Amino acid sequence: MVLSKRWLHDYLKLDVTDKDFAAALTLSGSKVEGYETEGEELSNIVVARVESLEKHPDSDHLWICQVNVGAESNLQIVTGAQNLKAGDYVPAALDNSVVAGGKKIKKGKLRGVESAGMLCSLGELGLTAHDFPYAVEDGIFVLGDDCDLTLGKDIREAIGLNDVVTEFEITSNRPDCLSVLGLAREAAVTYGMDFVEPVPVVEPGEGDVNELLKVSINAPDKCYRYVGAVVKNVKIEPSPRWMRERLRASGVRPINNIVDITNFVMLEYGQPMHAFDLRYLEGNEVIVRCAEDGEKITTLDGIERELNSDMLVIADSNKPVAVAGIMGGEYSDIMDDTDTIVFESACFNGPSVRMTAKALGMRTEASSRFDKQLDPKGCRKILERALQLVQQLGAGEVVNGVVDCDCSDKNDFTLAFEPDWVNGFIGIDVSADEQKVILERLGCKVEDGVITVPSFRNDLRHKADISEEIARFYGYDNIPDRQLAGVATAQYTPEQKFERLMGETMLACGLSELCTFSFISPKSYDKICLPADSEKRNCVVITNPLGEDTSVMRTTLLPSMLETLARNYNNRNAKAYLYEIGKEYITKGTQELPAEPMMLCMGMYGAGCNFFTIKGVVEELLEKLGIADYDVEAVNDNPSYHPGRTAVISKDGKTIGVVGEVHPQVLGNYSIGTKAYAVEISFDACFELSNLKRTYKQLPKFPALSRDLACVCEKAMPVLKLERTIAAAVGNTLETIDLFDVYEGSQIPEGMKSVAFSLKLRAADRTMTDEEADGAMKRAVKALDKLGVSLRA
């Protein structure tokens, strides 16, 4: 909905800036999308009078004009227009001016004759003949008596092309704000002003409308009210400038006085209305009925449409003449020779209009308003406003009376007035009198503890709705901050904090998070090569699955991870480092809910990725979780992983997880044509074994001594076992031990390997001597010897 500032000021005088107006209305609940000024790009264009014209000496179609712009001397402007004469008032774009489209005008020469600017047409002002019907569209715009003809006056002010238009986003529950009066009411309450809606006054005419028009409603469930009036001796002519200005600013093209009146009233009150040519209403009768199946009508857009019995039409005694609430028929339009018209103001069932518009593929300005359910009580007032404008514009003679068929519910909706409840609900302290003033300015009546809701506010149906009205006009920014009553301060549980830590660590290691479905295909277990008797095949079956591919709850996250890796690989993604923290569903029997252990699953492939890459990520994770002194043992019996390139991680006899290279057969099942690596880690085991307490350790005061130790052992000997043996033998003086070399070659016996460690030794209370360091190394060598490990020569 766009709102003309000039139109708003017809009903409400506001002395505020456009920026402040937009901010205030947004804060009170009427969201402003933006605002702009008409003709803003036009500059240095003024009203001028043509004093004389003479033929250009070197052109058959150019004229040399002397124009008066209110300065001491006339300006010379060359033009090619053929519709000018001396004494005409025209728009003159002077030197360094800008016309519509951003085109800049400078003084210069046309065929050797100086020209101080340009005389403008309608198009060069961004206008059309609809805005000024008396103007010549392909010539210079000659200003009429409805313009300010003060010489030198800015053309935008002279022709009214300087209105400020504000665009609002109106929610579907507020059809009353799809109108100038509705937004004026909102603005008045926002600024604490009283708003009195003008009451249309229709002067008495001649005759009796009932002798010229009959109206009946045969579908009262779809048409709540229909009000009709007749105007005879109609004079079809352009609307006055003030009406054209307001329509143009609202985005509606002016056409003629009758059509413009219907559009003007629709924008002013928010309810569409229609005008019929009485000569095309057979029997002078309007029947509101449901269409017959297969019945056809050609609408105003020239398209023949087939109707059905669910659609509401406006018909005469023989045929449908309009699709109710959407569009009129081809013969319902107002023509230049129209003499007598019928004004229609009706209220239709919103859902019926919406479904009909959708079925016919028609969404019109009328249907978009009617489908929000308008107010049947406003029909007569809207019709009288149209008749008032007819008399004001001299567009015809109003026949006395109206035909009013009313099937609507005439009972007012009421709510209890509970100011204390409102204050407690919102958390404010507004007196009952202040609340009453706000509600009455909104159109409510508050008497004896009862709120009578105005008929145009069908969104006020609960006391919470009343609270919202009080809150938005009291000021959301004035509501004090407070904690929700009865609700403790929200905090993460220890498990949630632990999950966030795991996720943050994965992201820090360069992995991206996944979130996959918890249900998979039972064939996934075959693809990861699970044995037929594996307990993991005993899963929860979904009773009504979306399909076979999502028919069971997963007992492992590995298939979901491999599906995602395969998708990335087959879409030519060079590498993928992924992780997911999710649940597995382990059945406990048909009568019990399944266990839902949390698991962390990682998967990766790509250049530079190997077993030690993903094992390093696991080590980093365990360090962040405070899990130390864990065991890493090679395994060969996991069917989903490559034998000899897979390890189980455990601590104190509790399995933490498995890390390894995915089995080649599994990779083939998923069409992954490169090595891939995966990890499955128990969230619950990590949570139980973790130690997130960090103890401050003072920086060492004494220097450290370094020693290297290289030994020869069997290939199958785990390096971790060697590390722990050395650490236990050296004792508390060992600060760090790092593996820096593993060698297998001609200088080492077959079946053996050389392993080298770098040790840093430091005493906390003294400078350590070489003798102490050498003694520690001798103890380490002795301990290794017991394992059958010898020093490398």
Side-chain angles (χ1 to χ4, degrees), residues 498 598 627 654-657 682-690:
F498 194 75
M598 290 280 286
I627 301 174
K654 182 181 288 293
T655 299
I656 296 175
S682 170
F683 177 93
D684 298 327
C686 290
F687 183 75
E688 182 181 339
L689 296 170
S690 65

Side-chain angles (χ1 to χ4, degrees), residues 114-240:
E114 294 282 348
S115 180
M118 181 179 76
L119 303 184
C120 299
S121 65
L122 283 171
E124 286 153 347
L125 299 178
L127 301 172
T128 69
H130 293 284
D131 300 302
F132 289 91
Y134 55 78
V136 177
E137 196 160 15
D138 58 352
I140 298 301
F141 176 24
V142 179
L143 306 183
D145 294 338
D146 57 353
C147 302
D148 187 337
L149 303 181
T150 304
L151 296 178
K153 192 173 189 66
D154 186 286
I155 194 64
R156 293 172 56 219
E157 294 182 27
I159 64 175
L161 189 61
N162 59 348
D163 200 354
V164 177
V165 178
T166 304
E167 182 179 0
F168 289 85
E169 178 186 323
I170 306 299
T171 54
S172 58
N173 67 323
R174 292 298 307 275
D176 60 298
C177 286
L178 290 171
S179 65
V180 175
L181 290 175
L183 290 173
R185 184 182 293 104
E186 290 288 306
V189 185
T190 299
Y191 285 99
M193 303 168 63
D194 292 325
F195 176 74
V196 179
E197 185 177 315
V199 178
V201 177
V202 181
E203 298 296 330
E206 296 181 356
D208 183 357
V209 69
N210 293 291
E211 297 177 357
L212 297 175
L213 179 67
K214 297 178 181 179
V215 176
S216 59
I217 299 176
N218 294 349
D221 58 326
K222 293 183 178 180
C223 179
Y224 304 128
R225 191 174 186 181
Y226 193 102
V227 187
V230 175
V231 178
K232 61 182 182 179
N233 297 327
V234 173
K235 301 175 184 177
I236 306 298
E237 56 189 12
S239 302

Side-chain angles (χ1 to χ4, degrees), residues 62-79:
L62 294 179
W63 292 86
I64 302 172
C65 303
Q66 301 298 321
V67 297
N68 184 351
V69 295
E72 293 182 0
S73 58
N74 293 337
L75 297 178
Q76 179 173 287
I77 295 179
V78 178
T79 180

Side-chain angles (χ1 to χ4, degrees), residues 411-419 432 435-437 439-440 443-454 460 462-463 466:
N411 296 319
D412 293 324
F413 188 86
T414 60
L415 288 167
F417 180 48
E418 303 178 43
Q435 293 188 32
K436 180 180 178 181
V437 168
L439 293 173
E440 288 180 340
C444 299
K445 293 182 180 179
V446 184
E447 294 179 352
D448 301 325
V450 176
I451 302 170
T452 302
V453 178
L460 301 183
H462 306 280
K463 56 185 179 181
I466 299 298

